[in-house]
Amino acid sequence: MDVLTVSRIQFGSTAAFHILWPLMSIGLSLFMVVMEAMWLKTKDIKYFHQLKFWTKIFILTFAIGTASGIPLEFEFGTNWAKFSSAAGDFFGNILGFESTVAFALEAAFLGIFVFGWEKVSARVHFFANLMIFVGATLSAFWIMAANSWMQVPIGVTVENGKLIVTDYLVAIFNPDTMVSFLHMWVACIESTLFMMMGICALVLLSRKASHEVKDFFIQTFKYCLIIAIVVTPLQIGLGDLSGTTIAKYQPAKLAATELHWETNAPGTGADWALVAWPNATNDGNSFEIKIPKVLSVLTTHSLTGRVPGLNEFHPDDRPSLINDIIVFYSFRIMVAIGFILFLLMILGCWYWKKGLLTIERTAHDRLFWWLFVLGTPLGFIATEAGWMVREIGRQPWVVYHLLRTKNGLSSGLDANTVIATTGIFAIIYLAFSILFVYFVWKIVAKGPDFNARPPVV
């Protein structure tokens, strides 16, 4: 493989691994805020035990997220120096905001939160908890602002090969930023909720767990389900909004996402391909199953809305054959999982309404709980698939229509060196993953500490 391809694989795989941990940090920190707020309001110790238990897993995600993010920062210099040189005046500043305004805020208040019991007042401790969540959210915002600018680069001019910012607010709050940030932020919460419900389901399926432990985890399951009632339908709506934004500002990406080749004629609707496979010349599909007019409805909310096809764009300005295939099926995986999680939420609510979410019923409704166990990784898979659509669908541009990916690559890179370092990263990240699963298993197996007593508030 050429050095451009392996460099893209290295950065993509590094980012794909790193994204998992901030994702869980946002979801877990929201849950921690809710639990501490409920504890302070009701003085019910069950909320305190929930807070203390899930804090342990949050600390793991924060630690691995910090460590796994460091290589990404270096890769901007080692692999993508020309991109950094051309776009660094804006992109570097935004990443600097993420580090100083967001990550530093989260890290500083995490210390107060973890070690501040009995040392600060209840209000200060809750404020520290809230600031962890705010810091994690701000971190996601700045990352999405930087990435959204790469998707819709406005507020800049090109001078001597450098992208010069003319209006920072316009560049930061480009048309993609808030839509993508909210879509990603809700994905973080939704994925974490279903991970937590999957862990709860595993414990409830265990024949060794005590009645007290099962009661704890069935409470967690219900708390997560309440939040999921809001976020799962919201995420579907945000996904639709994100799709219309892509259709307006990145029509070639949309066409690749749908393997839509020919622009529909006026007065006719664009068909939506349920499954498809592009031909060898990458100018049409050799196989497809289509539903009439649905693509027009999805992208323009009209039966006859115009949807530009891939053949309307020069082959050098649109994704390649393999990229088309990856983007097409990644999008369908993401959408399918979104609806599966929505259906799981509906199923959970129905069981709760029927009075079936009880410890006594767990022995009889094992299929129900196994469905949530199987749903544990689905949110993460959907998020990774969504990022593949977002990043691979933008190709061959690193900054859309302003800087090609190949022109952002560092000079003098050796493909074999990049392959070797990618392998090293893979081994390290595999070790991180194994350690995370092991320690989460140990935490869950040990269960909550019911003897822990909260400070006097």
Side-chain angles (χ1 to χ4, degrees):
M1 290 186 288
D2 61 277
V3 67
L4 174 62
T5 301
V6 295
S7 291
R8 284 182 58 203
I9 290 173
Q10 182 179 87
F11 191 87
S13 58
T14 306
F17 179 81
H18 170 68
I19 199 175
L20 297 171
W21 313 102
L23 184 153
M24 284 185 276
S25 294
I26 291 173
L28 286 168
S29 61
L30 173 63
F31 187 82
M32 288 155 52
V33 168
V34 172
M35 290 300 102
E36 187 161 12
M38 292 301 297
W39 169 55
L40 292 174
K41 180 178 175 62
T42 66
K43 306 300 189 292
D44 191 331
I45 197 171
K46 68 182 181 182
Y47 296 114
F48 174 77
H49 290 154
Q50 290 280 347
L51 172 64
K52 294 288 284 185
F53 178 81
W54 292 103
T55 294
K56 298 174 185 177
I57 297 178
F58 171 83
I59 292 171
L60 278 176
T61 66
F62 182 84
I64 298 178
T66 302
S68 63
I70 294 173
L72 283 172
E73 304 289 341
F74 284 105
E75 284 173 29
F76 285 118
T78 57
N79 295 47
W80 304 100
K82 291 182 180 179
F83 162 75
S84 299
S85 176
D89 288 354
F90 176 79
F91 193 82
N93 281 354
I94 299 303
L95 292 188
F97 293 153
E98 189 275 331
S99 297
T100 57
V101 176
F103 177 76
L105 179 73
E106 184 181 5
F109 280 100
L110 179 60
I112 297 173
F113 175 79
V114 173
F115 301 108
W117 295 105
E118 306 285 1
K119 296 180 176 65
V120 297
S121 68
R123 289 185 178 182
V124 171
H125 193 273
F126 176 72
F127 181 75
N129 190 355
L130 182 62
M131 287 301 102
I132 293 171
F133 173 64
V134 171
T137 297
L138 283 175
S139 181
F141 170 78
W142 287 118
I143 293 297
M144 294 309 301
N147 186 269
S148 292
W149 175 79
M150 295 165 68
Q151 309 284 341
V152 186
I154 60 176
V156 296
T157 60
V158 181
E159 297 180 11
N160 300 319
K162 289 182 69 69
L163 304 180
I164 307 299
V165 181
T166 57
D167 192 322
Y168 260 85
L169 285 179
V170 169
I172 292 171
F173 294 99
N174 64 75
D176 184 67
T177 298
M178 291 310 299
V179 174
S180 296
F181 162 65
L182 290 173
H183 192 40
M184 183 63 194
W185 185 74
V186 174
C188 295
I189 296 170
E190 183 178 15
S191 301
T192 307
L193 289 175
F194 281 92
M195 177 199 74
M196 293 171 68
M197 285 193 282
I199 292 173
C200 294
L202 269 176
V203 175
L204 292 166
L205 284 166
S206 171
R207 303 186 190 279
K208 296 180 179 179
S210 68
H211 187 280
E212 189 177 27
V213 168
K214 286 190 174 183
D215 183 62
F216 173 90
F217 282 102
I218 210 163
Q219 288 174 17
T220 305
F221 186 90
K222 291 177 179 178
Y223 300 147
C224 291
L225 190 57
I226 291 170
I227 303 173
I229 291 171
V230 178
V231 300
T232 49
L234 176 61
Q235 183 68 325
I236 293 172
L238 289 169
D240 177 69
L241 184 59
S242 180
T244 56
T245 303
I246 292 172
K248 183 176 181 179
Y249 295 100
Q250 295 179 299
K253 177 194 285 189
L254 176 74
T257 301
E258 303 297 347
L259 284 180
H260 174 60
W261 297 94
E262 301 297 337
T263 304
N264 53 304
T268 65
D271 300 338
W272 181 70
L274 181 63
V275 294
W277 196 266
N279 59 33
T281 56
N282 203 34
D283 60 3
N285 292 328
S286 57
F287 169 79
E288 59 188 9
I289 298 176
K290 288 189 172 183
I291 304 175
K293 299 187 178 182
V294 169
L295 183 57
S296 288
V297 174
L298 291 174
T299 56
T300 68
H301 300 160
S302 166
L303 285 171
T304 58
R306 181 179 181 274
V307 183
L310 274 170
N311 287 330
E312 195 167 300
F313 306 95
H314 192 279
D316 292 339
D317 295 335
R318 69 191 194 204
S320 64
L321 175 64
I322 185 63
N323 288 343
D324 284 337
I325 295 170
I326 293 172
V327 168
F328 179 84
Y329 284 102
S330 293
F331 177 74
R332 276 144 185 80
I333 290 170
M334 177 185 67
V335 172
I337 289 175
F339 282 100
I340 289 170
L341 295 182
F342 177 77
L343 292 175
L344 278 177
M345 180 273 293
I346 295 294
L347 179 63
C349 291
W350 183 78
Y351 259 68
W352 196 352
K353 183 179 179 181
K354 292 290 184 178
L356 302 176
L357 290 186
T358 63
I359 298 173
E360 292 72 26
R361 290 292 307 179
T362 54
H364 305 283
D365 300 320
R366 297 182 70 82
L367 177 59
F368 170 83
W369 296 108
W370 272 113
L371 287 176
F372 279 91
V373 172
L374 295 174
T376 303
L378 291 184
F380 304 108
I381 295 170
T383 303
E384 297 286 10
W387 269 100
M388 292 178 77
V389 172
R390 185 172 178 84
E391 297 305 292
I392 297 175
R394 185 184 62 217
Q395 298 305 314
W397 307 97
V398 64
V399 181
Y400 201 64
H401 284 175
L402 292 182
L403 180 65
R404 293 184 182 273
T405 306
K406 65 181 181 181
N407 295 332
L409 198 63
S410 300
S411 300
L413 275 178
D414 176 67
N416 290 329
T417 301
V418 178
I419 291 172
T421 53
T422 303
I424 293 171
F425 289 152
I427 293 170
I428 294 171
Y429 291 161
L430 177 61
F432 279 164
S433 301
I434 293 171
L435 288 171
F436 176 77
V437 172
Y438 172 76
F439 282 114
V440 168
W441 177 78
K442 294 287 286 186
I443 291 169
V444 173
K446 184 178 180 181
D449 180 6
F450 295 112
N451 294 319
R453 289 292 177 265
V456 178
V457 295

